[in-house]
PDB file of all heavy atoms in Angstrom:
ATOM      1  N   TYR A  16      -1.277 -88.038 -61.773  1.00  0.00           N
ATOM      2  CA  TYR A  16      -0.347 -87.243 -61.002  1.00  0.00           C
ATOM      3  C   TYR A  16      -1.012 -86.229 -60.003  1.00  0.00           C
ATOM      4  O   TYR A  16      -0.614 -86.169 -58.881  1.00  0.00           O
ATOM      5  CB  TYR A  16       0.737 -86.451 -61.802  1.00  0.00           C
ATOM      6  CG  TYR A  16       1.509 -87.334 -62.707  1.00  0.00           C
ATOM      7  CD1 TYR A  16       1.393 -87.159 -64.136  1.00  0.00           C
ATOM      8  CD2 TYR A  16       2.232 -88.366 -62.215  1.00  0.00           C
ATOM      9  CE1 TYR A  16       2.149 -88.055 -64.936  1.00  0.00           C
ATOM     10  CE2 TYR A  16       3.003 -89.285 -63.061  1.00  0.00           C
ATOM     11  CZ  TYR A  16       2.901 -88.967 -64.450  1.00  0.00           C
ATOM     12  OH  TYR A  16       3.613 -89.844 -65.234  1.00  0.00           O
ATOM     13  N   GLN A  30      10.668 -82.757 -39.929  1.00  0.00           N
ATOM     14  CA  GLN A  30      11.635 -83.584 -39.204  1.00  0.00           C
ATOM     15  C   GLN A  30      12.613 -82.693 -38.563  1.00  0.00           C
ATOM     16  O   GLN A  30      12.922 -81.637 -38.969  1.00  0.00           O
ATOM     17  CB  GLN A  30      12.296 -84.473 -40.222  1.00  0.00           C
ATOM     18  CG  GLN A  30      12.853 -85.719 -39.744  1.00  0.00           C
ATOM     19  CD  GLN A  30      13.294 -86.676 -40.894  1.00  0.00           C
ATOM     20  OE1 GLN A  30      12.507 -86.794 -41.874  1.00  0.00           O
ATOM     21  NE2 GLN A  30      14.358 -87.368 -40.643  1.00  0.00           N
ATOM     22  N   ASP A  33      18.950 -80.790 -36.400  1.00  0.00           N
ATOM     23  CA  ASP A  33      20.056 -80.331 -35.567  1.00  0.00           C
ATOM     24  C   ASP A  33      19.474 -80.108 -34.153  1.00  0.00           C
ATOM     25  O   ASP A  33      20.247 -79.456 -33.278  1.00  0.00           O
ATOM     26  CB  ASP A  33      20.763 -79.142 -36.075  1.00  0.00           C
ATOM     27  CG  ASP A  33      19.795 -77.947 -36.343  1.00  0.00           C
ATOM     28  OD1 ASP A  33      18.600 -78.090 -35.888  1.00  0.00           O
ATOM     29  OD2 ASP A  33      20.086 -77.052 -37.030  1.00  0.00           O
ATOM     30  N   GLN A  34      18.381 -80.545 -33.752  1.00  0.00           N
ATOM     31  CA  GLN A  34      17.836 -80.619 -32.450  1.00  0.00           C
ATOM     32  C   GLN A  34      17.450 -82.051 -32.115  1.00  0.00           C
ATOM     33  O   GLN A  34      17.242 -82.808 -32.960  1.00  0.00           O
ATOM     34  CB  GLN A  34      16.650 -79.598 -32.314  1.00  0.00           C
ATOM     35  CG  GLN A  34      17.090 -78.112 -32.670  1.00  0.00           C
ATOM     36  CD  GLN A  34      16.010 -77.151 -32.512  1.00  0.00           C
ATOM     37  OE1 GLN A  34      15.036 -77.322 -31.796  1.00  0.00           O
ATOM     38  NE2 GLN A  34      16.087 -76.022 -33.173  1.00  0.00           N
ATOM     39  N   ILE A  35      17.222 -82.146 -30.807  1.00  0.00           N
ATOM     40  CA  ILE A  35      17.014 -83.450 -30.370  1.00  0.00           C
ATOM     41  C   ILE A  35      15.630 -83.696 -29.724  1.00  0.00           C
ATOM     42  O   ILE A  35      15.149 -82.660 -29.070  1.00  0.00           O
ATOM     43  CB  ILE A  35      18.063 -83.866 -29.111  1.00  0.00           C
ATOM     44  CG1 ILE A  35      19.495 -83.325 -29.579  1.00  0.00           C
ATOM     45  CG2 ILE A  35      17.989 -85.250 -28.783  1.00  0.00           C
ATOM     46  CD1 ILE A  35      20.465 -83.308 -28.343  1.00  0.00           C
ATOM     47  N   TRP A 108      18.238 -58.266 -13.012  1.00  0.00           N
ATOM     48  CA  TRP A 108      16.963 -59.059 -12.938  1.00  0.00           C
ATOM     49  C   TRP A 108      16.923 -60.060 -14.068  1.00  0.00           C
ATOM     50  O   TRP A 108      16.637 -61.263 -13.740  1.00  0.00           O
ATOM     51  CB  TRP A 108      15.856 -57.948 -13.237  1.00  0.00           C
ATOM     52  CG  TRP A 108      14.439 -58.652 -13.143  1.00  0.00           C
ATOM     53  CD1 TRP A 108      13.828 -59.281 -14.170  1.00  0.00           C
ATOM     54  CD2 TRP A 108      13.513 -58.527 -12.036  1.00  0.00           C
ATOM     55  NE1 TRP A 108      12.583 -59.652 -13.760  1.00  0.00           N
ATOM     56  CE2 TRP A 108      12.354 -59.214 -12.370  1.00  0.00           C
ATOM     57  CE3 TRP A 108      13.605 -58.004 -10.835  1.00  0.00           C
ATOM     58  CZ2 TRP A 108      11.308 -59.301 -11.601  1.00  0.00           C
ATOM     59  CZ3 TRP A 108      12.488 -58.077  -9.875  1.00  0.00           C
ATOM     60  CH2 TRP A 108      11.331 -58.805 -10.338  1.00  0.00           C
ATOM     61  N   ARG A 120      12.871 -75.147 -15.838  1.00  0.00           N
ATOM     62  CA  ARG A 120      12.446 -75.865 -17.011  1.00  0.00           C
ATOM     63  C   ARG A 120      13.325 -77.227 -17.072  1.00  0.00           C
ATOM     64  O   ARG A 120      12.776 -78.223 -17.340  1.00  0.00           O
ATOM     65  CB  ARG A 120      12.830 -75.080 -18.327  1.00  0.00           C
ATOM     66  CG  ARG A 120      12.139 -75.563 -19.505  1.00  0.00           C
ATOM     67  CD  ARG A 120      12.301 -74.534 -20.662  1.00  0.00           C
ATOM     68  NE  ARG A 120      11.910 -75.020 -21.876  1.00  0.00           N
ATOM     69  CZ  ARG A 120      12.034 -74.529 -23.063  1.00  0.00           C
ATOM     70  NH1 ARG A 120      12.655 -73.261 -23.128  1.00  0.00           N
ATOM     71  NH2 ARG A 120      11.477 -75.097 -24.134  1.00  0.00           N
ATOM     72  N   LYS A 204      30.655 -76.050  -9.727  1.00  0.00           N
ATOM     73  CA  LYS A 204      29.306 -76.768  -9.652  1.00  0.00           C
ATOM     74  C   LYS A 204      28.741 -76.635  -8.277  1.00  0.00           C
ATOM     75  O   LYS A 204      29.519 -76.369  -7.285  1.00  0.00           O
ATOM     76  CB  LYS A 204      29.452 -78.282  -9.969  1.00  0.00           C
ATOM     77  CG  LYS A 204      29.977 -78.562 -11.310  1.00  0.00           C
ATOM     78  CD  LYS A 204      28.838 -78.584 -12.354  1.00  0.00           C
ATOM     79  CE  LYS A 204      29.416 -78.707 -13.678  1.00  0.00           C
ATOM     80  NZ  LYS A 204      28.345 -78.639 -14.737  1.00  0.00           N
ATOM     81  N   ARG A 276      36.321 -68.202 -25.040  1.00  0.00           N
ATOM     82  CA  ARG A 276      34.910 -68.598 -24.754  1.00  0.00           C
ATOM     83  C   ARG A 276      34.267 -67.445 -23.968  1.00  0.00           C
ATOM     84  O   ARG A 276      33.455 -66.673 -24.535  1.00  0.00           O
ATOM     85  CB  ARG A 276      34.849 -69.787 -24.042  1.00  0.00           C
ATOM     86  CG  ARG A 276      35.153 -71.061 -24.876  1.00  0.00           C
ATOM     87  CD  ARG A 276      35.293 -72.266 -23.887  1.00  0.00           C
ATOM     88  NE  ARG A 276      35.621 -73.471 -24.617  1.00  0.00           N
ATOM     89  CZ  ARG A 276      34.900 -74.144 -25.359  1.00  0.00           C
ATOM     90  NH1 ARG A 276      33.535 -73.984 -25.325  1.00  0.00           N
ATOM     91  NH2 ARG A 276      35.324 -75.134 -26.022  1.00  0.00           N
ATOM     92  N   SER A 297      47.573 -56.461 -28.158  1.00  0.00           N
ATOM     93  CA  SER A 297      47.515 -56.153 -29.578  1.00  0.00           C
ATOM     94  C   SER A 297      46.364 -55.015 -29.777  1.00  0.00           C
ATOM     95  O   SER A 297      46.167 -54.491 -30.883  1.00  0.00           O
ATOM     96  CB  SER A 297      47.112 -57.323 -30.406  1.00  0.00           C
ATOM     97  OG  SER A 297      45.823 -57.839 -29.896  1.00  0.00           O
ATOM     98  N   GLN A 299      44.007 -51.693 -27.521  1.00  0.00           N
ATOM     99  CA  GLN A 299      43.988 -51.077 -26.180  1.00  0.00           C
ATOM    100  C   GLN A 299      42.887 -51.528 -25.323  1.00  0.00           C
ATOM    101  O   GLN A 299      41.856 -51.931 -25.708  1.00  0.00           O
ATOM    102  CB  GLN A 299      43.693 -49.550 -26.530  1.00  0.00           C
ATOM    103  CG  GLN A 299      44.718 -48.871 -27.265  1.00  0.00           C
ATOM    104  CD  GLN A 299      44.505 -47.410 -27.783  1.00  0.00           C
ATOM    105  OE1 GLN A 299      43.290 -47.060 -27.806  1.00  0.00           O
ATOM    106  NE2 GLN A 299      45.550 -46.694 -28.064  1.00  0.00           N
ATOM    107  N   GLY A 413      32.397 -26.247 -16.830  1.00  0.00           N
ATOM    108  CA  GLY A 413      31.216 -26.059 -17.745  1.00  0.00           C
ATOM    109  C   GLY A 413      30.771 -27.451 -18.316  1.00  0.00           C
ATOM    110  O   GLY A 413      29.918 -27.539 -19.179  1.00  0.00           O
ATOM    111  N   THR A 440      41.047 -58.825 -25.243  1.00  0.00           N
ATOM    112  CA  THR A 440      39.830 -58.613 -24.494  1.00  0.00           C
ATOM    113  C   THR A 440      39.693 -59.406 -23.144  1.00  0.00           C
ATOM    114  O   THR A 440      38.766 -59.176 -22.474  1.00  0.00           O
ATOM    115  CB  THR A 440      38.607 -58.928 -25.309  1.00  0.00           C
ATOM    116  OG1 THR A 440      38.712 -60.345 -25.870  1.00  0.00           O
ATOM    117  CG2 THR A 440      38.379 -57.910 -26.451  1.00  0.00           C
ATOM    118  N   ASN A 555       6.575 -53.621 -16.843  1.00  0.00           N
ATOM    119  CA  ASN A 555       5.681 -53.560 -18.048  1.00  0.00           C
ATOM    120  C   ASN A 555       5.092 -54.936 -18.463  1.00  0.00           C
ATOM    121  O   ASN A 555       3.987 -54.939 -18.924  1.00  0.00           O
ATOM    122  CB  ASN A 555       6.629 -53.235 -19.229  1.00  0.00           C
ATOM    123  CG  ASN A 555       6.850 -51.773 -19.354  1.00  0.00           C
ATOM    124  OD1 ASN A 555       5.971 -50.926 -18.878  1.00  0.00           O
ATOM    125  ND2 ASN A 555       7.856 -51.285 -20.085  1.00  0.00           N
TER     126      ASN A 555
ATOM    127  N   ILE B  16       9.058 -89.338 -63.595  1.00  0.00           N
ATOM    128  CA  ILE B  16       8.096 -89.908 -64.656  1.00  0.00           C
ATOM    129  C   ILE B  16       7.722 -88.796 -65.549  1.00  0.00           C
ATOM    130  O   ILE B  16       7.723 -88.896 -66.764  1.00  0.00           O
ATOM    131  CB  ILE B  16       6.881 -90.490 -63.871  1.00  0.00           C
ATOM    132  CG1 ILE B  16       7.454 -91.776 -63.182  1.00  0.00           C
ATOM    133  CG2 ILE B  16       5.920 -90.933 -64.950  1.00  0.00           C
ATOM    134  CD1 ILE B  16       6.353 -92.309 -62.193  1.00  0.00           C
ATOM    135  N   GLN B 397      43.552 -47.945 -30.995  1.00  0.00           N
ATOM    136  CA  GLN B 397      42.539 -48.882 -30.750  1.00  0.00           C
ATOM    137  C   GLN B 397      41.516 -48.827 -31.882  1.00  0.00           C
ATOM    138  O   GLN B 397      41.016 -47.733 -32.215  1.00  0.00           O
ATOM    139  CB  GLN B 397      41.881 -48.711 -29.456  1.00  0.00           C
ATOM    140  CG  GLN B 397      40.796 -49.635 -29.058  1.00  0.00           C
ATOM    141  CD  GLN B 397      40.114 -49.353 -27.692  1.00  0.00           C
ATOM    142  OE1 GLN B 397      40.332 -48.265 -27.172  1.00  0.00           O
ATOM    143  NE2 GLN B 397      39.403 -50.249 -27.154  1.00  0.00           N
ATOM    144  N   VAL B 537      37.626 -75.267 -29.829  1.00  0.00           N
ATOM    145  CA  VAL B 537      36.587 -74.539 -30.643  1.00  0.00           C
ATOM    146  C   VAL B 537      35.605 -73.958 -29.717  1.00  0.00           C
ATOM    147  O   VAL B 537      35.329 -74.436 -28.588  1.00  0.00           O
ATOM    148  CB  VAL B 537      35.952 -75.460 -31.670  1.00  0.00           C
ATOM    149  CG1 VAL B 537      36.879 -75.869 -32.725  1.00  0.00           C
ATOM    150  CG2 VAL B 537      35.189 -76.616 -31.106  1.00  0.00           C
ATOM    151  N   GLN B 546      37.212 -60.804 -31.678  1.00  0.00           N
ATOM    152  CA  GLN B 546      38.483 -61.519 -32.052  1.00  0.00           C
ATOM    153  C   GLN B 546      38.073 -62.775 -32.889  1.00  0.00           C
ATOM    154  O   GLN B 546      37.081 -63.510 -32.647  1.00  0.00           O
ATOM    155  CB  GLN B 546      39.228 -62.018 -30.665  1.00  0.00           C
ATOM    156  CG  GLN B 546      38.286 -62.938 -29.920  1.00  0.00           C
ATOM    157  CD  GLN B 546      38.768 -62.961 -28.450  1.00  0.00           C
ATOM    158  OE1 GLN B 546      38.553 -61.883 -27.776  1.00  0.00           O
ATOM    159  NE2 GLN B 546      39.207 -63.956 -27.963  1.00  0.00           N
ATOM    160  N   SER B 554      24.016 -77.340 -39.366  1.00  0.00           N
ATOM    161  CA  SER B 554      22.634 -77.370 -39.014  1.00  0.00           C
ATOM    162  C   SER B 554      21.756 -77.776 -40.178  1.00  0.00           C
ATOM    163  O   SER B 554      22.221 -77.732 -41.383  1.00  0.00           O
ATOM    164  CB  SER B 554      22.162 -76.008 -38.588  1.00  0.00           C
ATOM    165  OG  SER B 554      22.048 -75.186 -39.674  1.00  0.00           O
ATOM    166  N   GLU B 557      13.861 -77.941 -41.984  1.00  0.00           N
ATOM    167  CA  GLU B 557      13.022 -78.080 -43.276  1.00  0.00           C
ATOM    168  C   GLU B 557      11.651 -77.497 -42.861  1.00  0.00           C
ATOM    169  O   GLU B 557      11.306 -77.298 -41.738  1.00  0.00           O
ATOM    170  CB  GLU B 557      12.849 -79.585 -43.661  1.00  0.00           C
ATOM    171  CG  GLU B 557      12.015 -80.437 -42.628  1.00  0.00           C
ATOM    172  CD  GLU B 557      11.913 -81.911 -43.119  1.00  0.00           C
ATOM    173  OE1 GLU B 557      12.575 -82.249 -44.056  1.00  0.00           O
ATOM    174  OE2 GLU B 557      11.030 -82.526 -42.651  1.00  0.00           O
ATOM    175  N   TYR B 635      10.982 -74.052 -36.183  1.00  0.00           N
ATOM    176  CA  TYR B 635      10.446 -74.950 -35.244  1.00  0.00           C
ATOM    177  C   TYR B 635      10.003 -74.225 -33.981  1.00  0.00           C
ATOM    178  O   TYR B 635      10.320 -74.629 -32.833  1.00  0.00           O
ATOM    179  CB  TYR B 635      11.489 -75.960 -34.877  1.00  0.00           C
ATOM    180  CG  TYR B 635      12.035 -76.839 -35.988  1.00  0.00           C
ATOM    181  CD1 TYR B 635      13.278 -76.701 -36.500  1.00  0.00           C
ATOM    182  CD2 TYR B 635      11.156 -77.739 -36.631  1.00  0.00           C
ATOM    183  CE1 TYR B 635      13.742 -77.386 -37.547  1.00  0.00           C
ATOM    184  CE2 TYR B 635      11.728 -78.519 -37.726  1.00  0.00           C
ATOM    185  CZ  TYR B 635      13.040 -78.387 -38.120  1.00  0.00           C
ATOM    186  OH  TYR B 635      13.410 -79.189 -39.176  1.00  0.00           O
ATOM    187  N   THR B 640      12.035 -78.939 -28.003  1.00  0.00           N
ATOM    188  CA  THR B 640      13.141 -79.814 -28.310  1.00  0.00           C
ATOM    189  C   THR B 640      14.335 -79.410 -27.478  1.00  0.00           C
ATOM    190  O   THR B 640      14.268 -78.468 -26.717  1.00  0.00           O
ATOM    191  CB  THR B 640      13.565 -79.538 -29.736  1.00  0.00           C
ATOM    192  OG1 THR B 640      14.001 -78.168 -29.877  1.00  0.00           O
ATOM    193  CG2 THR B 640      12.428 -79.722 -30.720  1.00  0.00           C
ATOM    194  N   LEU B 641      15.339 -80.260 -27.568  1.00  0.00           N
ATOM    195  CA  LEU B 641      16.686 -79.963 -26.943  1.00  0.00           C
ATOM    196  C   LEU B 641      17.609 -79.433 -27.902  1.00  0.00           C
ATOM    197  O   LEU B 641      17.717 -80.046 -28.944  1.00  0.00           O
ATOM    198  CB  LEU B 641      17.184 -81.278 -26.140  1.00  0.00           C
ATOM    199  CG  LEU B 641      16.271 -81.793 -25.102  1.00  0.00           C
ATOM    200  CD1 LEU B 641      16.958 -83.131 -24.584  1.00  0.00           C
ATOM    201  CD2 LEU B 641      16.047 -80.842 -24.004  1.00  0.00           C
ATOM    202  N   TYR B 648      29.981 -76.646 -18.708  1.00  0.00           N
ATOM    203  CA  TYR B 648      31.285 -76.865 -18.033  1.00  0.00           C
ATOM    204  C   TYR B 648      31.115 -78.048 -17.142  1.00  0.00           C
ATOM    205  O   TYR B 648      30.170 -78.190 -16.289  1.00  0.00           O
ATOM    206  CB  TYR B 648      31.652 -75.661 -17.303  1.00  0.00           C
ATOM    207  CG  TYR B 648      33.061 -75.675 -16.684  1.00  0.00           C
ATOM    208  CD1 TYR B 648      34.187 -75.267 -17.405  1.00  0.00           C
ATOM    209  CD2 TYR B 648      33.280 -76.119 -15.317  1.00  0.00           C
ATOM    210  CE1 TYR B 648      35.419 -75.270 -16.899  1.00  0.00           C
ATOM    211  CE2 TYR B 648      34.550 -76.148 -14.828  1.00  0.00           C
ATOM    212  CZ  TYR B 648      35.600 -75.762 -15.636  1.00  0.00           C
ATOM    213  OH  TYR B 648      36.951 -75.838 -15.067  1.00  0.00           O
ATOM    214  N   SER B 709       9.839 -62.382 -16.852  1.00  0.00           N
ATOM    215  CA  SER B 709      10.792 -63.470 -16.370  1.00  0.00           C
ATOM    216  C   SER B 709      11.019 -62.996 -14.977  1.00  0.00           C
ATOM    217  O   SER B 709      11.598 -61.928 -14.685  1.00  0.00           O
ATOM    218  CB  SER B 709      12.016 -63.430 -17.077  1.00  0.00           C
ATOM    219  OG  SER B 709      13.068 -64.250 -16.564  1.00  0.00           O
ATOM    220  N   GLN B 713      12.074 -68.276 -19.134  1.00  0.00           N
ATOM    221  CA  GLN B 713      13.542 -68.568 -19.101  1.00  0.00           C
ATOM    222  C   GLN B 713      14.226 -67.317 -19.800  1.00  0.00           C
ATOM    223  O   GLN B 713      15.369 -67.076 -19.496  1.00  0.00           O
ATOM    224  CB  GLN B 713      13.666 -69.831 -19.896  1.00  0.00           C
ATOM    225  CG  GLN B 713      15.130 -70.362 -19.840  1.00  0.00           C
ATOM    226  CD  GLN B 713      15.186 -71.643 -20.774  1.00  0.00           C
ATOM    227  OE1 GLN B 713      14.112 -72.099 -21.343  1.00  0.00           O
ATOM    228  NE2 GLN B 713      16.311 -72.276 -20.840  1.00  0.00           N
ATOM    229  N   ASP B 766       2.336 -53.837 -20.651  1.00  0.00           N
ATOM    230  CA  ASP B 766       2.071 -52.317 -20.557  1.00  0.00           C
ATOM    231  C   ASP B 766       3.001 -51.498 -21.395  1.00  0.00           C
ATOM    232  O   ASP B 766       2.924 -50.324 -21.408  1.00  0.00           O
ATOM    233  CB  ASP B 766       2.181 -51.897 -19.126  1.00  0.00           C
ATOM    234  CG  ASP B 766       1.051 -52.415 -18.282  1.00  0.00           C
ATOM    235  OD1 ASP B 766       0.038 -52.849 -18.901  1.00  0.00           O
ATOM    236  OD2 ASP B 766       1.189 -52.537 -17.062  1.00  0.00           O
ATOM    237  N   ASP B 809      30.273 -26.536 -25.302  1.00  0.00           N
ATOM    238  CA  ASP B 809      29.305 -27.555 -24.874  1.00  0.00           C
ATOM    239  C   ASP B 809      27.988 -27.253 -25.598  1.00  0.00           C
ATOM    240  O   ASP B 809      27.572 -26.015 -25.759  1.00  0.00           O
ATOM    241  CB  ASP B 809      29.091 -27.413 -23.450  1.00  0.00           C
ATOM    242  CG  ASP B 809      30.294 -27.991 -22.703  1.00  0.00           C
ATOM    243  OD1 ASP B 809      30.749 -29.029 -23.144  1.00  0.00           O
ATOM    244  OD2 ASP B 809      30.668 -27.477 -21.644  1.00  0.00           O
TER     245      ASP B 809
END
Side-chain angles (χ1 to χ4, degrees):
Chain A
Y16 301 121
Q30 205 167 319
D33 56 13
Q34 294 181 24
I35 311 161
W108 181 280
R120 198 168 171 189
K204 298 273 174 186
R276 282 173 187 276
S297 60
Q299 291 173 343
T440 51
N555 274 339
Chain B
I16 294 168
Q397 187 179 12
V537 295
Q546 68 201 65
S554 74
E557 68 178 19
Y635 301 111
T640 64
L641 299 178
Y648 185 89
S709 167
Q713 186 184 1
D766 289 343
D809 288 321

